[in-house]
Amino acid sequence: MTPAGKLFEAVAHGDEPRVVQSLADSPDLVWAADRDLKTALHVAAEHDQDRIAALLIEAGADLEAQTTGGMSPLQWAAKMGSAKVEALLMAATRR
């Protein structure tokens, strides 16, 4: 599995220590995307991982990154019913 794949897996499972370590080892992973152009922030939104989403935002995640379907992390959170991450992203985009 690629480093980005490992990060995405850690994000999906809420493995905060692994996410922190992945970003410490390779800070540029915060901008990595899969074949659908989902970023780690999209994955956090999909699984309503608000603490991890906050870490990713602090690490410089792109709040406006678009999937191949044109969905930002905020739009993806809303679509997936991820209320905690949706609220976090709404607050972050107002800054």
Side-chain angles (χ1 to χ4, degrees):
M1 185 178 295
T2 66
K6 289 177 184 176
L7 172 63
F8 287 16
E9 180 180 78
V11 170
H13 290 101
D15 190 341
E16 192 173 331
R18 245 175 73 203
V19 171
V20 169
Q21 188 61 54
S22 291
L23 293 174
D25 292 344
S26 299
D28 59 326
L29 285 176
V30 75
W31 302 297
D34 68 9
R35 69 173 185 253
D36 296 318
L37 300 182
K38 279 194 226 170
T39 66
L41 190 54
H42 285 95
V43 176
E46 184 171 339
H47 297 279
D48 208 19
Q49 298 289 351
D50 60 323
R51 288 175 48 136
I52 290 176
L55 286 171
L56 294 167
I57 292 166
E58 188 175 312
D62 183 357
L63 300 175
E64 301 300 324
Q66 301 283 309
T67 65
T68 54
M71 302 285 279
S72 70
L74 175 57
Q75 292 166 322
W76 194 244
K79 180 180 174 102
M80 304 305 329
S82 298
K84 294 182 291 186
V85 174
E86 183 180 2
L88 176 73
L89 290 168
M90 287 177 67
T93 56
R94 285 190 209 127
R95 291 183 198 161

